[in-house]
Amino acid sequence: MDPEAIPNFLAEQRDAAPVDLQHIFLTFEDQWERKLWHELTDSLVQYFANEESQPQRLPIFNTFILSFADKINQLKLVSLGLRASTQCKDDQDRLTFLTALASKVDKPPSQDAYIYAVVEVASVKLRLSDASSARKDLDRAESILDTFDSVETVVHAAFYRVNADYYQVQASFAAYYKNALLYLACIDINTALSPAEQQTRAYNLSIAALVSDSIYNFGELLLHPILNSLTQNPPNPHAWLRDLLFAFNRGDLAAYDVLSDNLARDPLLREHRLFLYQKISLAALTETVFKRPPHDRAMTFAAISQETKVRPDEIEHLIMKALSLGLLRGSIDQVAEVARINWVQPKVLERSQIDGMRLRLKEWDNSVNNLGHWIEGVGKDVWAA
């Protein structure tokens, strides 16, 4: 290579850069000449993070960074490559670029960087409607991840984000819900996601939680701050969705009836309307059981119908469904039309539900005190002896 090639290239890029960023290219050249690879990498990361660097990212990466790519942290190399890839002309060009980048870092010492690159390859393939090939990339990334004792959070975040995107495309709601929440656990939502992105993620998570036939406990989502994005900048068009989730959590059929007109706003909710009614009915059943003290959970079908507002002819099937899903444990006396419940699935409690527990604890405390006074009164001669 011509020894003047890199200095000449940096000079050209300096002249093309915004005036307030031109001095950074002198830093690049100085650090490159002194072989300060760590410092040069950090300078490049800082420059690429500047929005004004966008037009220059791709030529700087292809001509400058690749000339010393083997000498720098491979994870940061991929990070720079991902920022550069945003300037590719289309997804097909981006796929070629990222595939070459993944191949470059596919070495035993840099498997974390390889995973980081290959999941972004999978992300582009998803956008190109090549889901089967994307799944193979994600499975390969997951098999390598499983061999690590620890890995940078940014790698896990990228994997869970793209894995969630795949399951969303496949309409696999429970898997999407799980991976999307794992992704959120790996990032600071206030810095990694814009307000619009937070709202989109919260909306998609809420829809997945509601229409999934295996998610009956929304605790992780209800406690996550991302759900608050649905109520920001009022009047927010999606605020009803947050209210609907909390109605499901407390099994509030009356609130569901009020909010159900909004179901037509979303195609998935509209399609699953009958299932959603069954799901809220199950939530109403578990809430009815939860409100009762453990010694008073033998309930007639009529009592359950009255408390849940579910039709009497649907109660037996509803209880059987709850038992089969593991939401309740107990038995049914079909002749006497009585359900005896001895366990209810734990869930996140709202303030009113916590207050109900407080009242039950007070009742329990009073009953223990009354029992103590009774024993003391009846057996005082024994105590005296």
Side-chain angles (χ1 to χ4, degrees):
M1 177 184 278
D2 180 358
E4 295 300 315
I6 294 298
N8 289 341
F9 171 78
L10 290 176
E12 291 172 4
Q13 292 298 313
R14 183 179 68 243
D15 293 341
V19 175
D20 59 331
L21 297 179
Q22 289 183 357
H23 68 281
I24 297 177
F25 285 85
L26 298 176
T27 302
F28 291 164
E29 185 172 359
D30 176 61
Q31 292 171 338
W32 175 77
E33 288 177 346
R34 296 165 62 191
K35 296 180 171 56
L36 299 176
W37 307 124
H38 175 73
E39 291 80 359
L40 177 55
T41 304
D42 287 345
S43 297
L44 285 163
V45 168
Q46 184 178 0
Y47 182 68
F48 272 39
N50 192 309
E51 291 298 316
E52 292 183 278
S53 72
Q54 290 186 25
Q56 294 177 288
R57 290 175 187 172
L58 209 51
I60 289 175
F61 187 88
N62 288 330
T63 303
F64 182 47
I65 296 175
L66 287 182
S67 69
F68 55 87
D70 294 336
K71 298 179 174 65
I72 66 175
N73 181 290
Q74 298 296 279
L75 198 57
K76 290 185 177 180
L77 172 65
V78 172
S79 179
L80 290 166
L82 295 181
R83 286 190 177 274
S85 72
T86 61
Q87 302 309 300
C88 293
K89 62 181 180 181
D90 55 34
D91 276 335
Q92 196 61 57
D93 191 37
R94 189 171 296 109
L95 179 61
T96 302
F97 176 86
L98 291 176
T99 301
L101 178 60
S103 298
K104 186 171 187 62
V105 297
D106 187 10
K107 303 169 187 175
S110 57
Q111 286 296 283
D112 55 344
Y114 172 69
I115 293 171
Y116 195 20
V118 84
V119 296
E120 294 301 335
V121 169
S123 181
V124 177
K125 288 179 178 178
L126 280 176
R127 293 199 294 274
L128 292 171
S129 301
D130 188 2
S132 61
S133 183
R135 184 68 261 166
K136 291 176 183 177
D137 289 337
L138 290 167
D139 288 342
R140 183 162 61 252
E142 186 173 20
S143 65
I144 299 171
L145 269 175
D146 289 341
T147 66
F148 289 153
D149 292 328
S150 63
V151 69
E152 291 289 336
T153 305
V154 67
V155 178
H156 266 133
F159 172 76
Y160 290 131
R161 172 176 51 79
V162 180
N163 216 26
D165 291 343
Y166 169 82
Y167 286 121
Q168 186 176 26
V169 169
Q170 299 299 310
S172 183
F173 304 114
Y176 167 78
Y177 181 83
K178 174 186 174 183
N179 282 274
L181 283 176
L182 286 170
Y183 164 61
L184 293 178
C186 294
I187 63 171
D188 178 351
I189 63 171
N190 294 318
T191 56
L193 300 176
S194 68
E197 289 171 330
Q198 289 182 40
Q199 190 168 122
T200 299
R201 183 69 66 175
Y203 184 88
N204 291 336
L205 271 166
S206 300
I207 298 298
L210 289 168
V211 302
S212 169
D213 60 3
S214 61
I215 300 174
Y216 289 85
N217 190 336
F218 311 145
E220 288 180 272
L221 180 57
L222 295 179
L223 292 174
H224 203 287
I226 199 164
L227 201 59
N228 296 330
S229 65
L230 295 178
T231 59
Q232 291 172 354
N233 303 319
N236 191 300
H238 304 314
W240 63 270
L241 193 54
R242 183 179 183 276
D243 296 336
L244 186 62
L245 282 172
F246 278 97
F248 268 80
N249 188 59
R250 62 179 181 270
D252 191 339
L253 273 165
Y256 173 79
D257 288 340
V258 172
L259 295 165
S260 61
D261 288 343
N262 294 294
L263 299 182
R265 297 187 183 185
D266 184 271
L268 278 173
L269 294 182
R270 186 168 60 248
E271 179 186 341
H272 290 79
R273 194 180 189 106
L274 177 59
F275 169 74
L276 290 172
Y277 176 74
Q278 295 170 344
K279 196 168 186 175
I280 189 73
S281 298
L282 285 167
L285 173 61
T286 57
E287 180 67 14
T288 297
V289 175
F290 175 77
K291 287 179 179 177
R292 289 174 171 252
H295 63 271
D296 187 26
R297 288 182 175 172
M299 295 174 287
T300 65
F301 289 5
I304 294 173
S305 176
Q306 183 178 5
E307 292 192 38
T308 62
K309 311 304 180 189
V310 175
R311 285 165 36 193
D313 60 324
E314 297 177 354
I315 294 299
E316 183 177 350
H317 179 266
L318 185 67
I319 299 170
M320 293 175 65
K321 183 73 172 177
L323 292 171
S324 68
L325 290 169
L327 303 177
L328 302 174
R329 292 176 192 164
S331 59
I332 301 175
D333 185 335
Q334 293 174 303
V335 176
E337 294 191 338
V338 172
R340 294 179 176 85
I341 309 300
N342 52 45
W343 180 87
V344 60
Q345 185 186 70
K347 62 179 178 179
V348 171
L349 303 180
E350 296 181 31
R351 190 178 297 274
S352 60
Q353 294 169 312
I354 293 172
D355 188 57
M357 284 193 67
R358 181 184 66 83
L359 294 174
R360 289 208 300 277
L361 284 171
K362 286 184 68 177
E363 291 172 4
W364 175 80
D365 183 56
N366 289 334
S367 65
V368 170
N369 284 333
N370 292 337
L371 178 61
H373 294 320
W374 178 81
I375 292 174
E376 184 179 355
V378 172
K380 54 188 174 184
D381 292 338
V382 176
W383 303 130

